[in-house]
Every structure is written in C-alpha cells, then in structure tokens.
Short mmCIF file of all heavy atoms in Angstrom, two decimals:
data_model
loop_
_atom_site.label_atom_id
_atom_site.label_comp_id
_atom_site.label_asym_id
_atom_site.label_seq_id
_atom_site.Cartn_x
_atom_site.Cartn_y
_atom_site.Cartn_z
N GLN P 108 -26.99 34.23 -37.63
CA GLN P 108 -27.35 33.18 -38.59
C GLN P 108 -28.59 33.43 -39.40
O GLN P 108 -28.65 33.22 -40.54
CB GLN P 108 -27.43 31.79 -37.75
CG GLN P 108 -26.11 31.28 -37.25
CD GLN P 108 -26.27 30.01 -36.43
OE1 GLN P 108 -27.29 29.60 -36.00
NE2 GLN P 108 -25.21 29.29 -36.32
N GLU P 109 -29.55 33.95 -38.69
CA GLU P 109 -30.82 34.31 -39.40
C GLU P 109 -30.57 35.47 -40.35
O GLU P 109 -31.09 35.45 -41.53
CB GLU P 109 -31.94 34.65 -38.42
CG GLU P 109 -33.27 34.88 -39.04
CD GLU P 109 -34.39 35.17 -38.01
OE1 GLU P 109 -34.18 34.90 -36.82
OE2 GLU P 109 -35.48 35.57 -38.48
N ALA P 110 -29.83 36.47 -39.91
CA ALA P 110 -29.56 37.56 -40.80
C ALA P 110 -28.78 37.10 -42.01
O ALA P 110 -28.94 37.64 -43.13
CB ALA P 110 -28.78 38.61 -40.04
N ASP P 111 -27.85 36.28 -41.86
CA ASP P 111 -27.02 35.61 -42.89
C ASP P 111 -27.89 35.00 -43.93
O ASP P 111 -27.80 35.18 -45.10
CB ASP P 111 -25.99 34.67 -42.25
CG ASP P 111 -25.02 34.05 -43.20
OD1 ASP P 111 -24.93 34.58 -44.34
OD2 ASP P 111 -24.36 33.02 -42.90
N VAL P 112 -28.85 34.11 -43.44
CA VAL P 112 -29.66 33.40 -44.38
C VAL P 112 -30.59 34.33 -45.18
O VAL P 112 -30.82 34.13 -46.33
CB VAL P 112 -30.55 32.34 -43.64
CG1 VAL P 112 -31.63 31.76 -44.50
CG2 VAL P 112 -29.65 31.23 -43.09
N LEU P 113 -31.13 35.28 -44.49
CA LEU P 113 -32.06 36.31 -45.14
C LEU P 113 -31.36 37.18 -46.16
O LEU P 113 -31.95 37.75 -47.05
CB LEU P 113 -32.72 37.19 -44.07
CG LEU P 113 -33.78 36.34 -43.19
CD1 LEU P 113 -34.25 37.30 -42.15
CD2 LEU P 113 -34.93 35.84 -44.02
N SER P 114 -29.97 37.17 -46.06
CA SER P 114 -29.20 37.95 -46.97
C SER P 114 -28.55 37.22 -48.12
O SER P 114 -27.81 37.62 -48.91
CB SER P 114 -28.05 38.72 -46.24
OG SER P 114 -28.59 39.45 -45.17
N GLN P 115 -28.98 35.82 -48.22
CA GLN P 115 -28.53 34.98 -49.24
C GLN P 115 -29.66 34.87 -50.30
O GLN P 115 -30.63 35.57 -50.22
CB GLN P 115 -28.21 33.55 -48.69
CG GLN P 115 -27.14 33.56 -47.68
CD GLN P 115 -26.95 32.20 -46.97
OE1 GLN P 115 -27.67 31.25 -47.28
NE2 GLN P 115 -25.96 32.11 -46.13
N SER P 116 -29.45 33.99 -51.29
CA SER P 116 -30.48 33.70 -52.28
C SER P 116 -31.58 32.89 -51.53
O SER P 116 -31.40 32.53 -50.41
CB SER P 116 -29.91 32.84 -53.38
OG SER P 116 -29.62 31.53 -52.96
N GLU P 117 -32.71 32.68 -52.24
CA GLU P 117 -33.78 31.85 -51.70
C GLU P 117 -33.59 30.44 -51.65
O GLU P 117 -34.39 29.64 -51.21
CB GLU P 117 -35.08 32.28 -52.32
CG GLU P 117 -35.48 33.79 -52.11
CD GLU P 117 -36.96 34.11 -52.61
OE1 GLU P 117 -37.59 33.16 -53.04
OE2 GLU P 117 -37.21 35.29 -52.69
N TYR P 118 -32.48 29.96 -52.23
CA TYR P 118 -32.18 28.52 -52.35
C TYR P 118 -32.16 27.96 -50.94
O TYR P 118 -31.37 28.35 -50.08
CB TYR P 118 -30.85 28.36 -53.00
CG TYR P 118 -30.37 27.01 -53.17
CD1 TYR P 118 -31.05 26.08 -53.99
CD2 TYR P 118 -29.23 26.55 -52.53
CE1 TYR P 118 -30.61 24.71 -54.19
CE2 TYR P 118 -28.80 25.22 -52.67
CZ TYR P 118 -29.46 24.33 -53.50
OH TYR P 118 -29.03 23.08 -53.66
N MET P 119 -33.11 26.99 -50.65
CA MET P 119 -33.09 26.20 -49.47
C MET P 119 -33.37 27.11 -48.21
O MET P 119 -33.03 26.69 -47.05
CB MET P 119 -31.85 25.48 -49.24
CG MET P 119 -31.62 24.34 -50.34
SD MET P 119 -30.06 23.44 -50.10
CE MET P 119 -30.48 22.48 -48.60
N ARG P 120 -33.82 28.35 -48.49
CA ARG P 120 -33.96 29.34 -47.32
C ARG P 120 -34.88 28.85 -46.27
O ARG P 120 -34.61 28.89 -45.05
CB ARG P 120 -34.47 30.67 -47.87
CG ARG P 120 -34.72 31.69 -46.72
CD ARG P 120 -35.23 33.03 -47.30
NE ARG P 120 -34.16 33.76 -47.99
CZ ARG P 120 -34.31 34.96 -48.48
NH1 ARG P 120 -35.49 35.52 -48.45
NH2 ARG P 120 -33.32 35.54 -49.15
N GLU P 121 -36.06 28.17 -46.65
CA GLU P 121 -37.00 27.80 -45.68
C GLU P 121 -36.47 26.82 -44.74
O GLU P 121 -36.72 26.88 -43.53
CB GLU P 121 -38.33 27.19 -46.35
CG GLU P 121 -39.56 27.89 -46.08
CD GLU P 121 -40.81 27.25 -46.81
OE1 GLU P 121 -41.27 26.22 -46.30
OE2 GLU P 121 -41.11 27.82 -47.84
N GLY P 122 -35.80 25.84 -45.26
CA GLY P 122 -35.23 24.80 -44.44
C GLY P 122 -34.15 25.40 -43.51
O GLY P 122 -34.01 24.97 -42.29
N LYS P 123 -33.29 26.28 -43.94
CA LYS P 123 -32.29 26.95 -43.15
C LYS P 123 -32.85 27.64 -42.02
O LYS P 123 -32.43 27.49 -40.86
CB LYS P 123 -31.43 27.90 -44.00
CG LYS P 123 -30.65 27.25 -45.09
CD LYS P 123 -29.96 28.36 -45.85
CE LYS P 123 -29.23 27.83 -47.19
NZ LYS P 123 -28.70 28.89 -48.00
N LEU P 124 -33.97 28.45 -42.26
CA LEU P 124 -34.59 29.24 -41.21
C LEU P 124 -35.24 28.30 -40.17
O LEU P 124 -35.23 28.57 -39.01
CB LEU P 124 -35.59 30.15 -41.84
CG LEU P 124 -35.05 31.29 -42.59
CD1 LEU P 124 -36.22 32.19 -43.26
CD2 LEU P 124 -34.12 32.19 -41.83
N ALA P 125 -35.86 27.19 -40.69
CA ALA P 125 -36.44 26.26 -39.74
C ALA P 125 -35.45 25.58 -38.79
O ALA P 125 -35.71 25.45 -37.59
CB ALA P 125 -37.17 25.20 -40.52
N ARG P 126 -34.20 25.37 -39.31
CA ARG P 126 -33.19 24.80 -38.40
C ARG P 126 -32.73 25.79 -37.43
O ARG P 126 -32.37 25.42 -36.25
CB ARG P 126 -32.01 24.25 -39.28
CG ARG P 126 -32.26 23.06 -40.01
CD ARG P 126 -31.01 22.33 -40.49
NE ARG P 126 -30.08 23.18 -41.34
CZ ARG P 126 -30.34 23.29 -42.71
NH1 ARG P 126 -31.30 22.65 -43.31
NH2 ARG P 126 -29.52 24.11 -43.35
N ILE P 127 -32.61 27.02 -37.87
CA ILE P 127 -32.14 28.04 -36.77
C ILE P 127 -33.20 28.26 -35.76
O ILE P 127 -32.97 28.29 -34.49
CB ILE P 127 -32.00 29.43 -37.57
CG1 ILE P 127 -30.77 29.27 -38.49
CG2 ILE P 127 -31.74 30.53 -36.52
CD1 ILE P 127 -30.60 30.55 -39.39
N LYS P 128 -34.52 28.23 -36.16
CA LYS P 128 -35.60 28.33 -35.12
C LYS P 128 -35.57 27.19 -34.17
O LYS P 128 -35.78 27.35 -32.99
CB LYS P 128 -37.01 28.41 -35.86
CG LYS P 128 -38.12 28.61 -34.98
CD LYS P 128 -39.40 28.67 -35.74
CE LYS P 128 -40.59 28.91 -34.81
NZ LYS P 128 -41.91 29.04 -35.52
N GLU P 129 -35.39 25.91 -34.77
CA GLU P 129 -35.37 24.69 -33.86
C GLU P 129 -34.12 24.80 -32.99
O GLU P 129 -34.18 24.38 -31.81
CB GLU P 129 -35.34 23.51 -34.76
CG GLU P 129 -35.31 22.18 -34.02
CD GLU P 129 -36.47 21.92 -33.17
OE1 GLU P 129 -37.54 22.62 -33.34
OE2 GLU P 129 -36.43 21.04 -32.26
N GLY P 130 -32.93 25.27 -33.53
CA GLY P 130 -31.76 25.37 -32.73
C GLY P 130 -31.91 26.30 -31.47
O GLY P 130 -31.46 25.96 -30.44
N ARG P 131 -32.68 27.40 -31.75
CA ARG P 131 -32.88 28.37 -30.65
C ARG P 131 -33.75 27.67 -29.58
O ARG P 131 -33.51 27.81 -28.37
CB ARG P 131 -33.61 29.60 -31.21
CG ARG P 131 -33.87 30.67 -30.11
CD ARG P 131 -34.62 31.89 -30.69
NE ARG P 131 -33.74 32.84 -31.35
CZ ARG P 131 -33.88 33.11 -32.61
NH1 ARG P 131 -34.70 32.48 -33.43
NH2 ARG P 131 -33.01 34.00 -33.14
N HIS P 132 -34.69 26.87 -30.05
CA HIS P 132 -35.65 26.14 -29.10
C HIS P 132 -34.89 25.09 -28.32
O HIS P 132 -35.05 25.08 -27.11
CB HIS P 132 -36.80 25.52 -29.80
CG HIS P 132 -37.64 24.60 -28.99
ND1 HIS P 132 -38.47 25.06 -28.06
CD2 HIS P 132 -37.62 23.25 -28.94
CE1 HIS P 132 -39.08 24.03 -27.41
NE2 HIS P 132 -38.58 22.91 -27.92
N VAL P 133 -34.00 24.37 -28.99
CA VAL P 133 -33.23 23.35 -28.33
C VAL P 133 -32.27 23.91 -27.26
O VAL P 133 -32.11 23.51 -26.17
CB VAL P 133 -32.48 22.48 -29.30
CG1 VAL P 133 -31.41 21.60 -28.66
CG2 VAL P 133 -33.38 21.63 -30.17
N PHE P 134 -31.60 25.04 -27.65
CA PHE P 134 -30.76 25.73 -26.65
C PHE P 134 -31.50 26.28 -25.51
O PHE P 134 -31.01 26.05 -24.33
CB PHE P 134 -30.05 26.97 -27.44
CG PHE P 134 -29.27 27.77 -26.47
CD1 PHE P 134 -28.15 27.28 -25.74
CD2 PHE P 134 -29.58 29.12 -26.32
CE1 PHE P 134 -27.44 28.05 -24.92
CE2 PHE P 134 -28.82 29.90 -25.54
CZ PHE P 134 -27.71 29.40 -24.73
N SER P 135 -32.69 26.79 -25.69
CA SER P 135 -33.53 27.15 -24.60
C SER P 135 -33.84 26.06 -23.61
O SER P 135 -33.88 26.25 -22.49
CB SER P 135 -34.83 27.85 -25.11
OG SER P 135 -35.65 28.31 -24.07
N GLU P 136 -34.15 24.92 -24.32
CA GLU P 136 -34.57 23.72 -23.49
C GLU P 136 -33.24 23.25 -22.72
O GLU P 136 -33.33 22.78 -21.56
CB GLU P 136 -35.02 22.61 -24.37
CG GLU P 136 -36.46 22.78 -24.84
CD GLU P 136 -37.40 22.80 -23.71
OE1 GLU P 136 -37.44 21.69 -23.03
OE2 GLU P 136 -38.06 23.81 -23.47
N ILE P 137 -32.09 23.33 -23.28
CA ILE P 137 -30.89 22.85 -22.58
C ILE P 137 -30.65 23.75 -21.42
O ILE P 137 -30.34 23.26 -20.23
CB ILE P 137 -29.65 23.03 -23.55
CG1 ILE P 137 -29.75 21.80 -24.65
CG2 ILE P 137 -28.33 22.90 -22.74
CD1 ILE P 137 -28.68 21.97 -25.73
N LEU P 138 -30.91 25.02 -21.48
CA LEU P 138 -30.78 25.96 -20.33
C LEU P 138 -31.88 25.70 -19.33
O LEU P 138 -31.57 25.58 -18.16
CB LEU P 138 -30.93 27.40 -20.84
CG LEU P 138 -29.85 28.00 -21.72
CD1 LEU P 138 -30.11 29.43 -22.00
CD2 LEU P 138 -28.47 27.88 -21.05
N ARG P 139 -33.08 25.46 -19.81
CA ARG P 139 -34.14 25.24 -18.88
C ARG P 139 -34.00 23.90 -18.07
O ARG P 139 -34.30 23.97 -16.82
CB ARG P 139 -35.52 25.16 -19.60
CG ARG P 139 -36.77 25.06 -18.82
CD ARG P 139 -37.99 25.06 -19.65
NE ARG P 139 -38.07 23.85 -20.34
CZ ARG P 139 -38.54 22.69 -19.79
NH1 ARG P 139 -38.91 22.54 -18.58
NH2 ARG P 139 -38.61 21.54 -20.60
N GLN P 140 -33.50 22.94 -18.73
CA GLN P 140 -33.23 21.66 -18.03
C GLN P 140 -31.84 21.55 -17.31
O GLN P 140 -31.49 20.50 -16.82
CB GLN P 140 -33.42 20.49 -19.01
CG GLN P 140 -34.89 20.41 -19.47
CD GLN P 140 -35.09 19.25 -20.47
OE1 GLN P 140 -34.31 18.24 -20.41
NE2 GLN P 140 -36.13 19.26 -21.27
N ARG P 141 -31.14 22.67 -17.38
CA ARG P 141 -29.83 22.72 -16.72
C ARG P 141 -28.89 21.62 -17.09
O ARG P 141 -28.10 21.08 -16.26
CB ARG P 141 -30.03 22.73 -15.21
CG ARG P 141 -30.82 23.90 -14.71
CD ARG P 141 -30.98 23.88 -13.15
NE ARG P 141 -31.82 25.01 -12.71
CZ ARG P 141 -31.33 26.25 -12.50
NH1 ARG P 141 -30.11 26.49 -12.62
NH2 ARG P 141 -32.14 27.16 -12.00
N GLU P 142 -28.87 21.32 -18.38
CA GLU P 142 -27.92 20.30 -18.86
C GLU P 142 -26.53 20.86 -18.92
O GLU P 142 -26.34 22.09 -19.23
CB GLU P 142 -28.34 19.87 -20.34
CG GLU P 142 -29.63 19.11 -20.32
CD GLU P 142 -30.06 18.74 -21.74
OE1 GLU P 142 -29.25 18.80 -22.62
OE2 GLU P 142 -31.31 18.38 -21.93
N ALA P 143 -25.53 20.08 -18.56
CA ALA P 143 -24.18 20.58 -18.41
C ALA P 143 -23.53 20.84 -19.74
O ALA P 143 -23.66 20.02 -20.67
CB ALA P 143 -23.39 19.56 -17.55
N PHE P 144 -22.85 21.92 -19.84
CA PHE P 144 -22.01 22.22 -21.05
C PHE P 144 -20.72 22.95 -20.73
O PHE P 144 -19.98 23.29 -21.65
CB PHE P 144 -22.82 23.03 -22.11
CG PHE P 144 -23.55 24.23 -21.61
CD1 PHE P 144 -22.79 25.33 -21.33
CD2 PHE P 144 -24.88 24.23 -21.27
CE1 PHE P 144 -23.42 26.50 -20.78
CE2 PHE P 144 -25.44 25.30 -20.73
CZ PHE P 144 -24.77 26.48 -20.55
N CYS P 145 -20.44 23.19 -19.52
CA CYS P 145 -19.14 23.73 -19.06
C CYS P 145 -18.65 23.14 -17.80
O CYS P 145 -19.45 22.49 -17.08
CB CYS P 145 -19.26 25.23 -18.99
SG CYS P 145 -20.33 25.87 -17.71
N LEU P 146 -17.47 23.33 -17.43
CA LEU P 146 -16.83 22.72 -16.25
C LEU P 146 -17.57 23.04 -14.97
O LEU P 146 -17.75 22.17 -14.09
CB LEU P 146 -15.39 23.03 -16.16
CG LEU P 146 -14.41 22.54 -17.28
CD1 LEU P 146 -12.98 23.02 -17.00
CD2 LEU P 146 -14.46 21.00 -17.32
N GLN P 147 -18.07 24.29 -14.99
CA GLN P 147 -18.78 24.74 -13.82
C GLN P 147 -20.15 24.01 -13.49
O GLN P 147 -20.65 23.93 -12.39
CB GLN P 147 -19.17 26.27 -13.83
CG GLN P 147 -17.80 27.16 -13.66
CD GLN P 147 -17.01 27.25 -14.93
OE1 GLN P 147 -17.51 26.68 -16.02
NE2 GLN P 147 -15.82 27.84 -14.89
N ASP P 148 -20.61 23.37 -14.58
CA ASP P 148 -21.87 22.66 -14.47
C ASP P 148 -21.70 21.29 -13.93
O ASP P 148 -22.67 20.51 -13.54
CB ASP P 148 -22.55 22.51 -15.84
CG ASP P 148 -22.93 23.88 -16.45
OD1 ASP P 148 -23.29 24.78 -15.64
OD2 ASP P 148 -23.06 24.00 -17.61
N LEU P 149 -20.46 20.76 -13.88
CA LEU P 149 -20.22 19.34 -13.45
C LEU P 149 -20.63 19.18 -11.85
O LEU P 149 -20.34 20.15 -11.06
CB LEU P 149 -18.77 18.93 -13.61
CG LEU P 149 -18.29 18.74 -15.06
CD1 LEU P 149 -16.82 18.47 -15.16
CD2 LEU P 149 -19.11 17.62 -15.68
N GLU P 150 -20.99 18.05 -11.53
CA GLU P 150 -21.41 17.80 -10.18
C GLU P 150 -20.16 17.22 -9.39
O GLU P 150 -20.25 16.43 -8.51
CB GLU P 150 -22.52 16.74 -10.13
CG GLU P 150 -23.82 17.17 -10.63
CD GLU P 150 -24.48 18.25 -9.78
OE1 GLU P 150 -24.26 18.20 -8.55
OE2 GLU P 150 -25.18 19.13 -10.30
N ILE P 151 -19.04 17.70 -9.85
CA ILE P 151 -17.79 17.35 -9.22
C ILE P 151 -16.81 18.42 -9.50
O ILE P 151 -16.86 19.10 -10.48
CB ILE P 151 -17.25 15.97 -9.90
CG1 ILE P 151 -16.04 15.37 -8.99
CG2 ILE P 151 -16.88 16.12 -11.26
CD1 ILE P 151 -15.69 13.96 -9.46
N THR P 152 -15.75 18.63 -8.48
CA THR P 152 -14.91 19.73 -8.68
C THR P 152 -13.44 19.11 -8.67
O THR P 152 -13.14 17.97 -8.37
CB THR P 152 -15.02 20.68 -7.49
OG1 THR P 152 -14.65 19.99 -6.24
CG2 THR P 152 -16.46 21.16 -7.28
N GLY P 153 -12.52 20.11 -9.00
CA GLY P 153 -11.12 19.79 -8.90
C GLY P 153 -10.68 19.31 -7.54
O GLY P 153 -9.74 18.51 -7.43
N ARG P 154 -11.28 19.90 -6.55
CA ARG P 154 -10.97 19.55 -5.15
C ARG P 154 -11.25 18.04 -4.92
O ARG P 154 -10.45 17.29 -4.25
CB ARG P 154 -11.72 20.43 -4.20
CG ARG P 154 -11.55 20.11 -2.72
CD ARG P 154 -10.28 20.63 -2.26
NE ARG P 154 -9.31 19.64 -2.12
CZ ARG P 154 -7.95 19.81 -1.81
NH1 ARG P 154 -7.50 21.05 -1.65
NH2 ARG P 154 -7.14 18.85 -1.68
N ASP P 155 -12.45 17.58 -5.48
CA ASP P 155 -12.77 16.25 -5.31
C ASP P 155 -11.76 15.31 -5.98
O ASP P 155 -11.36 14.23 -5.49
CB ASP P 155 -14.25 15.97 -6.00
CG ASP P 155 -15.26 16.70 -5.27
OD1 ASP P 155 -15.26 16.78 -4.02
OD2 ASP P 155 -16.19 17.15 -5.99
#
C-alpha cells in the first residue's frame, strides 16, 4: 500500500501515507492486545 501511494501522483499523498502508518500501528495493537479476528481466537470451540 505504501509503495502504491508513493508511485502515484502527489494528490492527497500525505493523508494516504498517514492512514497507512496509523493502520500499521492499529494492527500492531490488535496483535499486542490479543484481540480476536479468527475462529482459533474464540474462547469457545466446536466441541463446546
């Protein structure tokens, strides 16, 4: 995504790059806080 933006025109580039940076940070926080995003993350199983 960053490579894509840097290969476009400069139109709105700063905002696009800022969103990518923030997205990377949010994803990192989701991992750090172990927030669920797949079935294996659920506190319940098919057996239950």
Side-chain angles (χ1 to χ4, degrees):
Q108 288 179 340
E109 186 176 347
D111 185 13
V112 170
L113 291 175
S114 306
Q115 298 173 357
S116 69
E117 294 188 8
Y118 178 67
M119 299 177 67
R120 177 181 288 181
E121 238 179 83
K123 294 175 187 175
L124 293 175
R126 287 200 299 277
I127 293 168
K128 184 177 180 180
E129 180 64 17
R131 184 184 276 117
H132 171 72
V133 169
F134 173 60
S135 182
E136 284 296 297
I137 288 172
L138 292 181
R139 189 179 66 81
Q140 295 184 20
R141 299 181 180 277
E142 295 177 14
F144 50 77
C145 65
L146 295 178
Q147 290 77 9
D148 295 332
L149 290 175
E150 294 293 327
I151 192 172
T152 67
R154 180 74 258 174
D155 295 321

